[in-house]
Amino acid sequence: MSEVIVITSGKGGVGKTTTTANIGTGLALLGFHTVLIDTDIGLRNLDVVMGLENRIIYNLVDVVEGNCRIKQALIKDKRYPNLYLLPSAQTRDKTAVNPGQMQKLTEDLREDFDYILLDCPAGIERGFQNAIAGADRALVVTTPEVSAIRDADRIIGLLEAADIQEMDLIVNRIRMDMVRRGDMMSIEDVAEILAINIIGAVPDDEDIVVSTNQGEPLVDTDSMAGQAFLNICKRISGETVPLLDLHPQRGLLLRLSDFLKRA
Amino acid sequence: MKRIFCFHKSNSGEIARSRLKLVLISDQAGCCPSLIEGFRDDIIGVLSRYAEFDSSKVDICLTRAECAGIGESMPTLLAKVPIRQFTNMRNE
């Protein structure tokens, strides 16, 4: 049985595209046939995060307008045998596609894929409505910041109104050192405020920047963020995986300097 | 341990810079990056009939340049091909 999952947040810049790229790659690594759809028409980015920008010939709008068949527009990721990308169009805008067309597209893709992931644009307008149209399930990405959590709450309300039954939260860019100091909301705080199941927390990790620079998702590396994303993928597929211990190993010197700072 | 012996992996910033150049040029020209790759391969193919050169030294890029006489900038293809030797086909 296939599942259509939209990755959304309301606020921009919280890590939707990075999350889509890494979860998609992770699901493919776990052996699931996975396709990623960039629904951000006019501001496409999933292609560069995946490192597939040089292979685009057709895009989402071409498929919807019937300029090509779906299979012609799907880019096969040569690094992962089960992974495909349907890139967005860069020279059009959100009105080039309507929710009905998105619903039909995701319905058609169910035949060939286990997971269809939709990378949603920021905002709650047409682009958002397009992205959620065919979704069974949503992953709401937020960061432990007031603005991002407020927008996530609004998005959760809109998803409920759109009758999307299954919703989970990903807390991205958490910094355990700041949580420990009491300068950042903890995962538990965010869960309590939004009253939604947390499917995973991803630490703020500089390896993410390196991985995006290179156009290589880090889900199959031993970085903290990579491990966190892989755990989320396992939970999506129904496995029970305990929450990752995000406290980095700290040497004596660091602990001493922390102590001195506090003193 | 990896953190302690933190030899920085590579200069991924440089990779990002060169990837972005290509992406931005193709965005501005409204064509897909695979088209530019295609350009490069085809131009190398045609030129190699006339001259000998090291294909790894060929620098082909799409940019925007002021067009003489029109006064507006348009997508412009720039190619730098260091030629080792011309193939003199008439003497063959």
Side-chain angles (χ1 to χ4, degrees):
Chain A
M1 205 201 78
S2 67
E3 204 165 34
V4 181
I5 307 176
V6 60
I7 289 102
T8 183
S9 69
K11 189 178 178 299
V14 298
K16 284 181 296 297
T17 303
T18 309
T19 302
T20 309
N22 280 287
I23 291 182
T25 306
L27 287 169
L29 276 171
L30 294 176
F32 297 103
H33 247 65
T34 307
V35 60
L36 311 181
I37 308 178
D38 187 350
T39 66
D40 201 345
I41 302 169
L43 288 170
R44 85 170 160 219
N45 267 327
L46 188 54
D47 57 328
V48 283
V49 175
M50 296 292 296
L52 296 172
E53 70 272 17
N54 289 342
R55 299 195 35 221
I56 298 176
I57 295 169
Y58 295 110
N59 58 54
L60 173 66
V61 177
D62 288 322
V63 174
V64 167
E65 290 183 345
N67 301 331
C68 68
R69 283 173 286 115
I70 297 184
K71 291 220 167 114
Q72 287 177 293
L74 291 180
I75 301 169
K76 183 174 164 44
D77 193 324
K78 290 170 184 160
R79 298 161 295 185
Y80 309 96
N82 299 317
L83 189 59
Y84 292 79
L85 169 71
L86 177 56
S88 176
Q90 183 72 338
T91 52
R92 303 290 294 273
D93 63 56
K94 305 311 190 242
T95 58
V97 170
N98 67 47
Q101 290 168 322
M102 286 303 295
Q103 216 163 355
K104 182 177 181 308
L105 174 72
T106 49
E107 217 43 58
D108 290 345
L109 286 166
R110 279 181 200 269
E111 276 177 38
D112 296 307
F113 293 97
D114 300 313
Y115 286 104
I116 297 140
L117 302 191
L118 297 142
D119 183 19
C120 180
I124 53 172
E125 298 84 14
R126 179 68 169 268
F128 170 74
Q129 301 298 343
N130 281 340
I132 67 166
D136 307 318
R137 181 176 180 180
L139 295 175
V140 179
V141 183
T142 190
T143 59
E145 284 159 272
V146 178
S147 53
I149 294 172
R150 180 199 204 174
D151 288 1
D153 184 60
R154 178 105 169 85
I155 285 295
I156 292 166
L158 291 171
L159 291 169
E160 276 168 355
D163 209 24
I164 291 180
Q165 308 289 340
E166 208 176 347
M167 255 186 277
D168 298 287
L169 189 75
I170 294 175
V171 182
N172 195 18
R173 270 194 224 134
I174 192 137
R175 284 187 51 182
M176 292 317 278
D177 56 334
M178 290 186 72
V179 173
R180 219 178 291 126
R181 284 205 308 266
D183 283 332
M184 184 178 268
M185 277 178 277
S186 68
I187 302 167
E188 294 76 19
D189 292 338
V190 180
E192 193 199 322
I193 293 168
L194 291 175
I196 168 181
N197 175 55
I198 296 205
I199 200 163
V202 182
D204 191 22
D205 189 341
E206 62 178 57
D207 287 340
I208 290 276
V209 179
V210 176
S211 120
T212 309
N213 282 345
Q214 295 170 325
E216 288 167 9
L218 50 54
V219 69
D220 60 343
T221 67
D222 61 359
S223 65
M224 282 276 253
Q227 289 307 303
F229 277 124
L230 195 62
N231 283 351
I232 293 172
C233 294
K234 289 178 182 167
R235 292 185 199 113
I236 289 172
S237 73
E239 263 184 71
T240 311
V241 187
L243 273 177
L244 194 69
D245 177 18
L246 297 177
H247 299 266
Q249 293 295 316
R250 294 170 69 78
L252 183 66
L253 269 178
L254 276 172
R255 267 183 285 165
L256 189 66
S257 82
D258 266 8
F259 174 75
L260 290 174
K261 259 186 243 164
R262 234 174 282 156
Chain B
M1 282 306 259
K2 208 179 113 195
R3 293 258 170 236
I4 300 169
F5 302 105
C6 188
F7 298 115
H8 212 71
K9 263 188 221 159
S10 63
N11 41 358
S12 79
E14 186 52 43
I15 298 173
R17 216 174 78 94
S18 63
R19 289 177 63 216
L20 266 173
K21 271 190 182 174
L22 186 62
V23 168
L24 294 190
I25 287 164
S26 66
D27 278 359
Q28 286 158 11
C31 73
C32 50
S34 57
L35 188 83
I36 298 177
E37 297 269 292
F39 255 150
R40 196 190 128 87
D41 294 346
D42 287 354
I43 287 171
I44 288 175
V46 170
L47 290 180
S48 59
R49 299 214 303 261
Y50 300 94
E52 266 178 42
F53 54 87
D54 180 353
S55 62
S56 67
K57 301 246 161 63
V58 174
D59 182 15
I60 290 175
C61 70
L62 200 58
T63 176
R64 288 193 84 87
E66 196 90 349
C67 197
I70 304 173
E72 59 183 278
S73 81
M74 359 182 35
T76 306
L77 188 73
L78 295 178
K80 201 161 91 185
V81 186
I83 291 166
R84 216 180 278 143
Q85 193 185 347
F86 283 100
T87 319
N88 207 336
M89 285 189 290
R90 280 195 192 152
N91 291 351
E92 275 170 16

